[in-house]
Amino acid sequence: MTRERLAQGVSELESRVGQPLPLAESLHKALEGAVYPLSARQLTWVARENEAPALVLSLLGSLPRSSFGSVDAVARALDGDLDATAPQPSASSR
């Protein structure tokens, strides 16, 4: 498949279903109504109750077993976790 055809297919899909939500927006929706502080396990429960997407549930499930005081604290913890799992540029590409 050519890049042009792939781009056209993605464009068609986005026009039908819309742009994907950024993670921060999905996280805020998933934790709507949460009363902090909450443990990682409680955050996952709230997200399930709010019918969060599987990706958000998976990310919440990977949080350290500690207490979080706000959705921003959760986002910071996830941001650090995502940075740790992101591929690092090789020394030759620097």
Side-chain angles (χ1 to χ4, degrees):
M1 178 180 286
T2 65
R3 287 182 185 216
E4 293 82 19
R5 180 66 187 124
L6 181 59
Q8 182 182 9
V10 169
S11 194
E12 288 174 13
L13 181 61
E14 287 176 346
S15 69
R16 290 183 199 164
V17 297
Q19 295 282 337
L21 291 176
L23 180 59
E25 190 174 339
S26 295
L27 186 60
H28 279 272
K29 286 184 178 184
L31 299 178
E32 190 174 332
V35 179
Y36 297 90
L38 292 173
S39 68
R41 183 180 220 168
Q42 291 168 320
L43 290 168
T44 303
W45 184 82
V46 170
R48 281 192 184 122
E49 289 293 311
N50 287 334
E51 299 178 359
L55 172 64
V56 173
L57 292 172
S58 176
L59 289 171
L60 291 173
S62 72
L63 286 170
R65 301 296 173 216
S66 60
S67 185
F68 297 88
S70 69
V71 70
D72 293 329
V74 174
R76 283 192 302 274
L78 289 174
D79 188 38
D81 199 28
L82 293 175
D83 287 345
T85 60
Q88 299 298 315
S90 64
S92 61
S93 66
R94 291 182 197 166

